[in-house]
Amino acid sequence: ELKVEQNPLFLSMQEGKNYTIYCNYSTTSDRLYWYRQDPGKSLESLFVLLSNGAVKQEGRLMASLDTKARLSTLHITAAVHDLSATYFCAVDMEYGNKLVFGAGTILRVKS
Amino acid sequence: GAVVSQHPSWVICKSGTSVKIECRSLDFQATTMFWYRQFPKQSLMLMATSNEGSKATYEQGVEKDKFLINHASLTLSTLTVTSAHPEDSSFYICSAWDSTLDTQYFGPGTRLTVL
């Protein structure tokens, strides 16, 4: 059974600081996704990582994937308040099929 | 970009009634759609996989007779919560798989409250 673990589950950080959210998964998968969810809203796709060593960046967020270590990271650079949200990683159980989600990381950026 | 819509966005119903939620892919065809449930401050849990033209595949622990799924066309899947009870109150989110872009797009969600 595929398990996806995220940590930390809650992150409070000051504006301007850097931090990393980690996502570990238990079985082989080559597809990992990062999503953002604002309160009361659905999921917004941030990144799709499809191969070992993949790195993608969008603004202050950068995601990477190490399939050998079964680890993905979401790095936040110089955080701003607008980044406050819940971030989920999700892993494909099968190609084009079911996603297993991590528990989510609640990020609060304080001014 | 690809858009997935859900209707209604929120619904309040009495215990014992049935509620239908629609999920549409607006600018692509989706042979596969997924239904998730999310309780407050929790992650998304996959309920079932909806396949166009065939029966849905339910995850372990999900009652198929209670959560009826129909995927009658390549752009529409419906989830009907039958004989709803307060414990069915949740945020229901659908997603649609776009095979041409190898990605899954999520609908805006439907908040169900059963009184």
Side-chain angles (χ1 to χ4, degrees):
Chain A
E1 180 189 351
L2 174 59
K3 294 185 178 179
V4 181
E5 294 185 353
Q6 271 182 252
N7 71 84
L9 299 182
F10 182 78
L11 176 57
S12 178
M13 56 191 298
Q14 292 290 133
E15 277 193 329
K17 297 293 186 182
N18 305 330
Y19 210 84
T20 300
I21 300 171
Y22 297 88
C23 176
N24 288 90
Y25 53 99
S26 60
T27 63
T28 302
S29 176
D30 291 329
R31 311 169 73 81
L32 190 137
Y33 304 81
W34 283 97
Y35 294 95
R36 166 180 172 148
Q37 185 179 39
D38 291 295
K41 305 287 186 180
S42 190
L43 301 181
E44 173 190 353
S45 178
L46 296 175
F47 301 107
V48 180
L49 303 170
L50 300 176
S51 62
N52 187 42
V55 177
K56 290 192 175 180
Q57 183 164 4
E58 181 72 35
R60 301 175 187 273
L61 301 178
M62 182 175 70
S64 66
L65 177 62
D66 180 344
T67 58
K68 294 180 181 178
R70 297 176 186 167
L71 170 68
S72 178
T73 62
L74 180 66
H75 187 72
I76 303 154
T77 301
V80 293
H81 181 72
D82 287 349
L83 289 179
S84 296
T86 300
Y87 292 85
F88 292 97
C89 65
V91 178
D92 245 337
M93 278 197 278
E94 304 168 25
Y95 176 81
N97 212 324
K98 308 173 185 179
L99 293 183
V100 177
F101 281 80
T105 297
I106 300 172
L107 173 65
R108 293 290 175 263
V109 181
K110 297 183 288 187
S111 304
Chain B
V3 176
V4 175
S5 70
Q6 275 184 248
H7 178 81
S9 56
W10 59 271
V11 57
I12 300 173
C13 69
K14 292 182 178 180
S15 187
T17 60
S18 295
V19 175
K20 180 184 284 187
I21 303 170
E22 294 186 347
C23 176
R24 294 180 185 275
S25 58
L26 298 184
D27 55 5
F28 67 99
Q29 294 183 329
T31 55
T32 303
M33 292 184 175
F34 303 92
W35 287 96
Y36 296 85
R37 181 165 55 183
Q38 184 180 32
F39 291 109
K41 300 190 186 301
Q42 294 188 24
S43 189
L44 278 75
M45 296 299 295
L46 179 65
M47 299 174 66
T49 303
S50 172
N51 301 298
E52 187 270 335
S54 65
K55 291 183 179 180
T57 305
Y58 291 81
E59 295 301 301
Q60 191 171 10
V62 178
E63 300 174 61
K64 61 181 181 181
D65 294 331
K66 180 169 186 61
F67 299 100
L68 301 179
I69 291 173
N70 185 281
H71 194 153
S73 77
L74 288 171
T75 59
L76 173 64
S77 175
T78 60
L79 168 68
T80 301
V81 183
T82 63
S83 187
H85 288 94
E87 57 265 31
D88 298 324
S89 299
S90 188
F91 194 46
Y92 291 87
I93 303 175
C94 73
S95 69
W97 179 259
D98 186 340
S99 58
T100 61
L101 296 178
D102 276 349
T103 195
Q104 195 167 146
Y105 294 97
F106 286 82
T110 296
R111 187 160 303 282
L112 170 64
T113 301
V114 185
L115 302 177

